[in-house]
Amino acid sequence: MAPPPSPLVHPVDEVPPARQLAAFGLQHVLAMYAGAVAVPLIVGGAMKLSPADLAYLITADLLVCGIATLIQCVGFWRFGVRLPIMQGCTFAAVSPMVLIGTTGGGLPAIYGSVIVAGLAIVLLAPVFGRLLRFFPPLVTGTVILIIGLSLLPVAGNWAAGGVGSADFGEPKNLALAAFVLAVVLGVQRFAPVFLSRIAVLTGIVVGLAVAVPFGFTDFDGVGDADWVGISTPFHFGAPTFEASAIISMLVVALVTMTETTGDLIAVGEMTGRKVEPRSLADGLRADGFSTVLGGVFNTFPYTAYAQNVGLVGMTRVRSRWVVATAGGILVLLGLLPKLGAVVAAIPAPVLGGAGLVMFGTVAASGLRTLAGVEFKDNHNLTVVAVSVAVGMLPVGVPTVYAKFPDWFQTVMNSGISAGCLTAIVLNLLFNNLAGKGDSTGGGQDAVEEPRDELV
């Protein structure tokens, strides 16, 4: 008697061969590396830390990035959404942390507020999980679209040479970015299936090979980096708990929870594994736990990285074990600073060329979700229009809220959280409270219809 057939494994749970795991995982690392190290560089630079302390912050950040990613992808108990989600330091916390660090509190005050914020996220995760009903396709499609659009200026800055670079906007930088973009598109269109799925990695490698002889980068920093670096708890002193710092970081926590919710829903859409209230709470709980680890191990608050959401959609590789492998690579980079220095030598225009297609893919995924929403004889078009406008306002005019209180800036300077909150409120106003049309925001089938092209 033949044994019963084994149940089909969902693509999210599939484990590709080791060779593919390594290639796909490295691709995810390269996609988020520049953003990951930017937060410690900005905060440490504003506090005028020594080069040695800056290097320590970066290696600590990479180590906890890797651990946080493993927790999110692999999961344990009620921690981790178990989807291909890459974790990194949130930019929403940069301004408050710079203010805390430069007004007398220093790094100990930052880390004290980060630990409290992480604990708050863990406690609030179930509450946010129950709010999932406020994210129908109308809202999720709009939020995913805003995530993609808000990331495009990041890719643009990379393509131009990186913010603050002496040759920012030079034609040679944009030419290199365009070359990498062309390589990515060419590989994705004409190469065999496996190569097409590492089109971003191929583009970055080819771009780097072209960049070195043309003087875009050098590897001097590799020789200066240590071989081994281990982050120890409270390296910069025991944390201090100051009320003003804690309050500002709690506002950041609410913003990052909103952003992470959008990212988790987006990945759920792309992978065909719909995020449920319980799994959303598990993902947010992992965010909070990782943020507590950040406060203990000398780094900062953590959130899902939208850069890698675009990579999942573009490559159609849905396995969470691929991103877990990327987490393992980040742990190695955090323990071996010399390896991290090699990755850091990749010039910004190379990342910019790859970023344009990745971030555009996120926006296109939002449009695909919105394509299933009914826009006839209702106010859904107004909901999308105003939400995108509010979300793009701080992206296009970064100083638009400069005269507002710090807590307001923390919330509204993030285009993702501003647009998300607007979409939720307008959907409630026009579709729920008014008792008109489809209270789910229209097109529920848009979430549940099969995505054959992602299989």
Side-chain angles (χ1 to χ4, degrees):
M1 183 175 177
S6 59
L8 292 176
V9 177
H10 193 283
V12 167
D13 298 319
E14 286 181 348
V15 182
R19 176 174 63 95
Q20 294 184 14
L21 276 176
F24 293 151
L26 179 59
Q27 186 170 237
H28 273 281
V29 170
L30 296 178
M32 61 83 69
Y33 188 91
V37 300
V39 174
L41 282 174
I42 294 170
V43 175
M47 295 178 63
K48 297 180 170 54
L49 297 182
S50 67
D53 284 343
L54 274 177
Y56 193 95
L57 283 182
I58 291 171
T59 54
D61 174 37
L62 293 174
L63 175 64
V64 181
C65 273
I67 295 172
T69 299
L70 287 167
I71 293 171
Q72 196 69 275
C73 295
V74 179
F76 69 92
W77 190 52
R78 296 296 303 279
F79 292 84
V81 71
R82 295 168 175 82
L83 285 172
I85 292 288
M86 202 81 180
Q87 297 285 105
C89 282
T90 174
F91 283 86
V94 168
S95 295
M97 289 192 301
V98 168
L99 187 64
I100 295 167
T102 56
T103 55
L107 286 172
I110 291 176
Y111 294 139
S113 64
V114 167
I115 291 171
V116 173
L119 293 173
I121 293 172
V122 172
L123 295 174
L124 290 174
V127 177
F128 259 72
R130 288 193 289 271
L131 297 179
L132 195 59
R133 66 182 183 275
F134 296 113
F135 287 85
L138 174 63
V139 174
T140 59
T142 302
V143 171
I144 296 168
L145 174 61
I146 291 171
I147 290 171
L149 293 177
S150 65
L151 285 171
L152 286 174
V154 176
N157 283 323
W158 286 347
V163 176
S165 63
D167 60 351
F168 186 86
E170 288 283 347
K172 65 175 185 177
N173 291 334
L174 295 171
L176 178 58
F179 170 73
V180 171
L181 176 60
V183 172
V184 171
L185 295 177
V187 171
Q188 191 174 25
R189 173 63 181 84
F190 299 108
V193 174
F194 172 69
L195 274 180
S196 70
R197 290 184 170 179
I198 55 168
V200 170
L201 176 60
T202 305
I204 290 174
V205 170
V206 173
L208 182 59
V210 171
V212 172
F214 282 95
F216 279 90
T217 188
D218 61 65
F219 294 94
D220 291 343
V222 178
D224 297 333
D226 295 329
W227 279 105
V228 178
I230 299 175
S231 180
T232 55
F234 307 126
H235 174 80
F236 295 98
T240 59
F241 301 92
E242 300 180 9
S244 59
I246 290 172
I247 291 170
S248 64
M249 205 56 65
L250 288 175
V251 175
V252 169
L254 293 175
V255 173
T256 57
M257 292 179 80
T258 304
E259 292 181 348
T260 295
T261 298
D263 290 332
L264 297 185
I265 291 172
V267 172
E269 291 266 311
M270 292 176 177
T271 59
R273 175 171 281 177
K274 185 180 176 183
V275 173
E276 303 289 348
R278 174 168 174 152
S279 56
L280 174 59
D282 292 347
L284 293 172
R285 200 177 283 111
D287 260 15
F289 181 69
S290 301
T291 296
V292 173
L293 284 181
V296 173
F297 286 95
N298 320 293
T299 179
F300 307 113
Y302 285 85
T303 187
Y305 256 31
Q307 292 95 313
N308 299 83
V309 174
L311 190 56
V312 170
M314 177 190 161
T315 63
R316 304 175 185 176
V317 177
R318 296 183 279 176
S319 171
R320 60 191 172 107
W321 298 105
V322 164
V323 181
T325 301
I329 294 173
L330 284 173
V331 170
L332 280 178
L333 293 177
L335 296 174
L336 304 173
K338 202 172 282 289
L339 283 180
V342 172
V343 177
I346 298 173
V350 172
L351 297 174
L356 285 171
V357 65
M358 286 192 304
F359 304 161
T361 299
V362 180
S365 297
L367 292 176
R368 184 179 63 184
T369 299
L370 289 173
V373 175
E374 179 60 59
F375 285 101
K376 187 177 180 180
D377 298 327
N378 57 36
H379 298 286
N380 287 344
L381 194 63
T382 300
V383 174
V384 176
V386 175
S387 301
V388 172
V390 173
M392 290 298 97
L393 194 58
V395 176
V397 189
T399 57
V400 66
Y401 300 121
K403 303 296 184 183
F404 283 74
D406 290 340
W407 67 267
F408 186 89
Q409 291 186 51
T410 300
V411 176
M412 298 302 291
N413 275 341
S414 166
I416 297 172
S417 65
C420 181
L421 293 173
T422 304
I424 291 172
V425 171
L426 292 182
N427 180 57
L428 287 173
L429 176 64
F430 286 114
N431 289 320
N432 292 66
L433 300 182
K436 296 180 182 178
D438 180 3
S439 64
T440 65
Q444 186 64 33
D445 291 341
V447 175
E448 299 178 2
E449 65 181 1
R451 308 280 191 204
D452 292 338
E453 72 276 14
L454 292 183
V455 175

